[in-house]
Amino acid sequence: QVQLVESGGGLVQAGGSLRLSCAASGSIFRINVMSWYRQAPGKQRELVATITRGGTSTLPDSVKGRFTVSRDNAGNTVYLQMVNLKPEDTAVYYCNAEIMRRDLQSGTFWGQGTQVTVSS
């Protein structure tokens, strides 16, 4: 099986920084696109950042310039560096990955989420 485990969430004041990590483990042959999503209370889950295996990243305008996504292919890990955080960034952040397992079956996997709370 495959697992994604996020870490690094917490409570921070507006203007502060956090770095989220998401480590994939299990029967992994190859990880393709890795992404971060977030979901605030009462709102739909939204895409925050995407990074390809080759390192090409895409971020929406709402976080561009404040969030940076990176990955370590050897360590099967993706990171989300967040600076100048705003109260509206408060949400549960989820890691998502497109993974081919060692049995060559592919699927999309989710982490359990990590809470980010930004106080004003």
Side-chain angles (χ1 to χ4, degrees):
Q1 295 301 321
V2 172
Q3 273 192 319
L4 298 179
V5 179
E6 299 106 332
S7 61
L11 173 64
V12 64
Q13 288 187 333
S17 302
L18 282 174
R19 188 190 194 211
L20 306 183
S21 300
C22 170
S25 62
S27 180
I28 297 171
F29 176 73
R30 180 187 177 94
I31 301 179
N32 294 316
V33 176
M34 303 186 83
S35 303
W36 288 96
Y37 288 76
R38 67 184 180 187
Q39 188 166 20
K43 294 188 177 182
Q44 289 188 333
R45 191 171 295 190
E46 65 171 336
L47 179 63
V48 174
T50 294
I51 185 166
T52 66
R53 183 171 180 81
T56 300
S57 61
T58 304
L59 297 90
D61 289 342
S62 59
V63 303
K64 198 173 291 183
R66 299 188 299 120
F67 291 9
T68 304
V69 61
S70 60
R71 65 188 285 174
D72 171 10
N73 288 333
N76 292 335
T77 302
V78 63
Y79 305 95
L80 186 67
Q81 178 69 50
M82 306 182 292
V83 301
N84 191 21
L85 282 161
K86 304 176 180 181
E88 52 263 42
D89 294 318
T90 295
V92 178
Y93 284 69
Y94 297 91
C95 174
N96 170 284
E98 298 173 5
I99 296 175
M100 178 178 287
R101 300 185 315 211
R102 290 194 185 118
D103 62 4
L104 303 185
Q105 297 297 309
S106 294
T108 299
F109 297 86
W110 291 91
Q112 82 287 354
T114 185
Q115 177 71 46
V116 171
T117 303
V118 184
S119 63
S120 57

PDB file of all heavy atoms in Angstrom, residues 6 10 15-16 26 28 31 41 44 62 67-69 71 84 89 111 119:
ATOM      1  N   GLU A   6       1.524  14.116   6.070  1.00  0.00           N
ATOM      2  CA  GLU A   6       1.893  15.529   6.122  1.00  0.00           C
ATOM      3  C   GLU A   6       2.379  15.889   7.515  1.00  0.00           C
ATOM      4  O   GLU A   6       1.987  15.279   8.509  1.00  0.00           O
ATOM      5  CB  GLU A   6       0.705  16.425   5.776  1.00  0.00           C
ATOM      6  CG  GLU A   6       0.124  16.238   4.396  1.00  0.00           C
ATOM      7  CD  GLU A   6      -1.191  15.505   4.440  1.00  0.00           C
ATOM      8  OE1 GLU A   6      -1.384  14.722   5.381  1.00  0.00           O
ATOM      9  OE2 GLU A   6      -2.020  15.707   3.534  1.00  0.00           O
ATOM     10  N   GLY A  10       0.438  24.236  11.951  1.00  0.00           N
ATOM     11  CA  GLY A  10       0.430  24.825  13.281  1.00  0.00           C
ATOM     12  C   GLY A  10      -0.240  26.166  13.287  1.00  0.00           C
ATOM     13  O   GLY A  10      -0.921  26.550  12.335  1.00  0.00           O
ATOM     14  N   GLY A  15       1.658  37.248   8.738  1.00  0.00           N
ATOM     15  CA  GLY A  15       3.005  37.659   8.372  1.00  0.00           C
ATOM     16  C   GLY A  15       4.067  36.623   8.646  1.00  0.00           C
ATOM     17  O   GLY A  15       5.212  36.767   8.200  1.00  0.00           O
ATOM     18  N   GLY A  16       3.688  35.574   9.351  1.00  0.00           N
ATOM     19  CA  GLY A  16       4.631  34.521   9.701  1.00  0.00           C
ATOM     20  C   GLY A  16       4.812  33.503   8.591  1.00  0.00           C
ATOM     21  O   GLY A  16       4.253  33.644   7.484  1.00  0.00           O
ATOM     22  N   GLY A  26       5.756   3.305   1.126  1.00  0.00           N
ATOM     23  CA  GLY A  26       5.048   2.091   0.747  1.00  0.00           C
ATOM     24  C   GLY A  26       5.574   1.518  -0.552  1.00  0.00           C
ATOM     25  O   GLY A  26       6.720   1.727  -0.922  1.00  0.00           O
ATOM     26  N   ILE A  28       6.089   1.926  -3.751  1.00  0.00           N
ATOM     27  CA  ILE A  28       6.141   2.996  -4.748  1.00  0.00           C
ATOM     28  C   ILE A  28       7.168   2.686  -5.816  1.00  0.00           C
ATOM     29  O   ILE A  28       8.329   2.420  -5.507  1.00  0.00           O
ATOM     30  CB  ILE A  28       6.486   4.339  -4.078  1.00  0.00           C
ATOM     31  CG1 ILE A  28       5.383   4.733  -3.097  1.00  0.00           C
ATOM     32  CG2 ILE A  28       6.675   5.431  -5.139  1.00  0.00           C
ATOM     33  CD1 ILE A  28       5.728   5.925  -2.236  1.00  0.00           C
ATOM     34  N   ILE A  31       6.650   8.400  -8.574  1.00  0.00           N
ATOM     35  CA  ILE A  31       5.678   9.431  -8.235  1.00  0.00           C
ATOM     36  C   ILE A  31       5.705  10.484  -9.325  1.00  0.00           C
ATOM     37  O   ILE A  31       6.764  11.032  -9.640  1.00  0.00           O
ATOM     38  CB  ILE A  31       5.977  10.085  -6.876  1.00  0.00           C
ATOM     39  CG1 ILE A  31       5.986   9.031  -5.768  1.00  0.00           C
ATOM     40  CG2 ILE A  31       4.934  11.154  -6.565  1.00  0.00           C
ATOM     41  CD1 ILE A  31       6.303   9.597  -4.388  1.00  0.00           C
ATOM     42  N   PRO A  41     -13.045  25.871   6.490  1.00  0.00           N
ATOM     43  CA  PRO A  41     -14.384  25.495   6.939  1.00  0.00           C
ATOM     44  C   PRO A  41     -15.470  26.110   6.060  1.00  0.00           C
ATOM     45  O   PRO A  41     -15.431  27.311   5.772  1.00  0.00           O
ATOM     46  CB  PRO A  41     -14.444  26.062   8.358  1.00  0.00           C
ATOM     47  CG  PRO A  41     -13.023  26.109   8.795  1.00  0.00           C
ATOM     48  CD  PRO A  41     -12.232  26.438   7.574  1.00  0.00           C
ATOM     49  N   GLN A  44     -15.024  24.823  -0.427  1.00  0.00           N
ATOM     50  CA  GLN A  44     -14.578  23.683  -1.213  1.00  0.00           C
ATOM     51  C   GLN A  44     -13.054  23.562  -1.147  1.00  0.00           C
ATOM     52  O   GLN A  44     -12.345  24.552  -0.925  1.00  0.00           O
ATOM     53  CB  GLN A  44     -15.015  23.839  -2.672  1.00  0.00           C
ATOM     54  CG  GLN A  44     -16.501  23.678  -2.887  1.00  0.00           C
ATOM     55  CD  GLN A  44     -16.872  23.647  -4.361  1.00  0.00           C
ATOM     56  OE1 GLN A  44     -16.176  24.215  -5.196  1.00  0.00           O
ATOM     57  NE2 GLN A  44     -17.953  22.973  -4.690  1.00  0.00           N
ATOM     58  N   SER A  62      -3.587  33.563  -5.946  1.00  0.00           N
ATOM     59  CA  SER A  62      -3.859  33.867  -4.543  1.00  0.00           C
ATOM     60  C   SER A  62      -2.669  33.590  -3.627  1.00  0.00           C
ATOM     61  O   SER A  62      -2.563  34.158  -2.542  1.00  0.00           O
ATOM     62  CB  SER A  62      -5.073  33.077  -4.059  1.00  0.00           C
ATOM     63  OG  SER A  62      -4.842  31.686  -4.220  1.00  0.00           O
ATOM     64  N   PHE A  67       3.920  31.470  -1.588  1.00  0.00           N
ATOM     65  CA  PHE A  67       4.108  30.030  -1.411  1.00  0.00           C
ATOM     66  C   PHE A  67       5.083  29.511  -2.457  1.00  0.00           C
ATOM     67  O   PHE A  67       5.074  29.953  -3.612  1.00  0.00           O
ATOM     68  CB  PHE A  67       2.790  29.275  -1.558  1.00  0.00           C
ATOM     69  CG  PHE A  67       1.791  29.502  -0.459  1.00  0.00           C
ATOM     70  CD1 PHE A  67       1.967  30.475   0.506  1.00  0.00           C
ATOM     71  CD2 PHE A  67       0.657  28.706  -0.386  1.00  0.00           C
ATOM     72  CE1 PHE A  67       1.037  30.674   1.524  1.00  0.00           C
ATOM     73  CE2 PHE A  67      -0.283  28.883   0.617  1.00  0.00           C
ATOM     74  CZ  PHE A  67      -0.096  29.884   1.568  1.00  0.00           C
ATOM     75  N   THR A  68       5.888  28.574  -2.056  1.00  0.00           N
ATOM     76  CA  THR A  68       6.815  27.898  -2.959  1.00  0.00           C
ATOM     77  C   THR A  68       6.707  26.395  -2.751  1.00  0.00           C
ATOM     78  O   THR A  68       6.739  25.922  -1.603  1.00  0.00           O
ATOM     79  CB  THR A  68       8.266  28.335  -2.704  1.00  0.00           C
ATOM     80  OG1 THR A  68       8.373  29.754  -2.819  1.00  0.00           O
ATOM     81  CG2 THR A  68       9.208  27.675  -3.702  1.00  0.00           C
ATOM     82  N   VAL A  69       6.576  25.662  -3.846  1.00  0.00           N
ATOM     83  CA  VAL A  69       6.496  24.207  -3.760  1.00  0.00           C
ATOM     84  C   VAL A  69       7.795  23.614  -4.303  1.00  0.00           C
ATOM     85  O   VAL A  69       8.355  24.107  -5.287  1.00  0.00           O
ATOM     86  CB  VAL A  69       5.266  23.667  -4.515  1.00  0.00           C
ATOM     87  CG1 VAL A  69       5.313  24.012  -5.989  1.00  0.00           C
ATOM     88  CG2 VAL A  69       5.110  22.161  -4.307  1.00  0.00           C
ATOM     89  N   ARG A  71      10.236  19.596  -4.257  1.00  0.00           N
ATOM     90  CA  ARG A  71      10.155  18.159  -3.986  1.00  0.00           C
ATOM     91  C   ARG A  71      11.525  17.521  -4.005  1.00  0.00           C
ATOM     92  O   ARG A  71      12.465  18.034  -4.631  1.00  0.00           O
ATOM     93  CB  ARG A  71       9.227  17.457  -4.982  1.00  0.00           C
ATOM     94  CG  ARG A  71       9.693  17.480  -6.416  1.00  0.00           C
ATOM     95  CD  ARG A  71       8.621  16.935  -7.354  1.00  0.00           C
ATOM     96  NE  ARG A  71       8.507  15.466  -7.296  1.00  0.00           N
ATOM     97  CZ  ARG A  71       7.568  14.775  -7.925  1.00  0.00           C
ATOM     98  NH1 ARG A  71       6.638  15.407  -8.626  1.00  0.00           N
ATOM     99  NH2 ARG A  71       7.550  13.452  -7.857  1.00  0.00           N
ATOM    100  N   ASN A  84       4.725  35.150   4.653  1.00  0.00           N
ATOM    101  CA  ASN A  84       3.745  36.236   4.672  1.00  0.00           C
ATOM    102  C   ASN A  84       2.322  35.689   4.745  1.00  0.00           C
ATOM    103  O   ASN A  84       1.443  36.083   3.972  1.00  0.00           O
ATOM    104  CB  ASN A  84       3.912  37.141   3.450  1.00  0.00           C
ATOM    105  CG  ASN A  84       3.109  38.415   3.546  1.00  0.00           C
ATOM    106  OD1 ASN A  84       2.733  38.841   4.637  1.00  0.00           O
ATOM    107  ND2 ASN A  84       2.817  39.006   2.404  1.00  0.00           N
ATOM    108  N   ASP A  89      -5.446  32.248   4.780  1.00  0.00           N
ATOM    109  CA  ASP A  89      -4.741  31.009   4.464  1.00  0.00           C
ATOM    110  C   ASP A  89      -5.101  29.891   5.454  1.00  0.00           C
ATOM    111  O   ASP A  89      -4.677  28.749   5.270  1.00  0.00           O
ATOM    112  CB  ASP A  89      -3.230  31.229   4.491  1.00  0.00           C
ATOM    113  CG  ASP A  89      -2.744  32.167   3.402  1.00  0.00           C
ATOM    114  OD1 ASP A  89      -3.229  32.056   2.258  1.00  0.00           O
ATOM    115  OD2 ASP A  89      -1.882  33.018   3.703  1.00  0.00           O
ATOM    116  N   GLY A 111      -3.073  12.549   1.582  1.00  0.00           N
ATOM    117  CA  GLY A 111      -2.668  12.498   2.973  1.00  0.00           C
ATOM    118  C   GLY A 111      -3.852  12.789   3.874  1.00  0.00           C
ATOM    119  O   GLY A 111      -4.965  13.072   3.404  1.00  0.00           O
ATOM    120  N   SER A 119      -3.425  33.615  12.747  1.00  0.00           N
ATOM    121  CA  SER A 119      -4.155  34.585  13.570  1.00  0.00           C
ATOM    122  C   SER A 119      -3.843  36.006  13.114  1.00  0.00           C
ATOM    123  O   SER A 119      -2.746  36.305  12.664  1.00  0.00           O
ATOM    124  CB  SER A 119      -3.792  34.401  15.037  1.00  0.00           C
ATOM    125  OG  SER A 119      -2.418  34.675  15.230  1.00  0.00           O
TER     126      SER A 119
END
